Amino acid sequence: LGGFLLGGILVAAGLVQTYGIRITSSGNCAFLTGTNVVMVPFLSWALTKKKPGRSNLFSALMMFAGVCLLTVDFNAGDLLSFLGAFLYAVHIAVTGKLSGTVRPKAVTCLQFLALFTVNLLFVPLEETPFIIPPAAVLPAAYLGIVSIFIGHTLQIICQEKVDSTKAAVLLSLEGVFGSIFSAILLGERYRLPALAGFVLIFLSILLSQTG
């Protein structure tokens, strides 16, 4: 049940993020996804009754200000990216709740089975007839093997030793790496308000953990 639940959450998060990144920039999507770290303490509170501290509340306000600056030209892609961040926060909180009570390898296997099955059902909605373009094979293999399989397997194993909030901080570095690689590989450029938003979001992530 835990594996299928996590798989379903990943399906929803991946879908909204993938549709969102079609409309907004990769850097925006990466940093908006990173805001999940501020959401995790509040979701963990709902699951474990561990109340977040004042620094978490302040960091949430700071994150909101950063998101406003980052999305001056707000569009549907930014909204979908933010919704994806919420769903990834739910995934981290549920993983933390399950850790120590289930076998990580079994959960990983069932999670990916659910992920594969549900995504396969969406294929007819996107491609009719279903033909994989040759140019898509290498990117799809990288995303499937490295980002999803290796990344999420390590996450489940490591969250037996690391609490959900600290795990969220480390995972939030996706925003930093995402914006750097989008500038290097895709040539994306950012205006001053967006850069200020990046800084505020990253500081809110640090504050939520360091107090």
Side-chain angles (χ1 to χ4, degrees):
L1 288 174
F4 286 137
L5 174 61
L6 290 176
I9 296 168
L10 274 185
V11 168
L15 281 173
V16 296
Q17 187 182 51
T18 302
Y19 280 107
I21 207 170
R22 290 177 170 183
I23 309 169
T24 189
S25 68
S26 298
N28 270 28
C29 183
F31 257 97
L32 287 170
T33 302
T35 61
N36 69 63
V37 66
V38 183
M39 305 175 195
V40 168
F42 299 97
L43 292 170
S44 293
W45 181 20
L47 292 175
T48 64
K49 309 304 179 186
K50 184 180 178 181
K51 189 176 181 180
R54 283 181 295 180
S55 63
N56 294 117
L57 296 172
F58 189 76
S59 65
L61 293 174
M62 186 184 291
M63 183 223 23
F64 179 74
V67 169
C68 290
L69 284 170
L70 183 62
T71 56
V72 173
D73 302 317
F74 190 78
N75 59 44
D78 294 324
L79 179 61
L80 288 171
S81 298
F82 196 72
L83 176 58
F86 172 76
L87 291 169
Y88 282 121
V90 173
H91 184 270
I92 293 170
V94 173
T95 300
K97 178 72 174 177
L98 292 173
S99 64
T101 61
V102 293
R103 291 176 296 161
K105 291 178 182 177
V107 171
T108 301
C109 180
L110 293 169
Q111 174 179 254
F112 294 142
L113 178 62
L115 189 66
F116 171 77
T117 305
V118 177
N119 274 307
L120 197 62
L121 298 176
F122 277 89
V123 169
L125 301 177
E126 289 287 332
E127 300 288 343
T128 307
F130 178 46
I131 300 172
I132 301 176
V137 173
L138 191 58
Y142 174 83
L143 291 173
I145 296 170
V146 180
S147 296
I148 296 177
F149 178 69
I150 295 177
H152 287 293
T153 301
L154 289 175
Q155 179 191 339
I156 290 173
I157 293 172
C158 293
Q159 276 196 247
E160 285 192 297
K161 308 290 184 183
V162 178
D163 65 72
S164 298
T165 306
K166 188 176 290 186
V169 175
L170 297 170
L171 291 169
S172 71
L173 290 173
E174 174 188 358
V176 179
F177 293 128
S179 60
I180 291 172
F181 284 121
S182 64
I184 295 172
L185 300 177
L186 302 177
E188 291 183 358
R189 295 292 178 266
Y190 303 101
R191 293 182 295 172
L192 190 59
L195 292 173
F198 286 156
V199 172
L200 271 178
I201 290 172
F202 189 62
L203 288 177
S204 74
I205 288 168
L206 293 179
L207 177 65
S208 69
Q209 304 312 307
T210 62

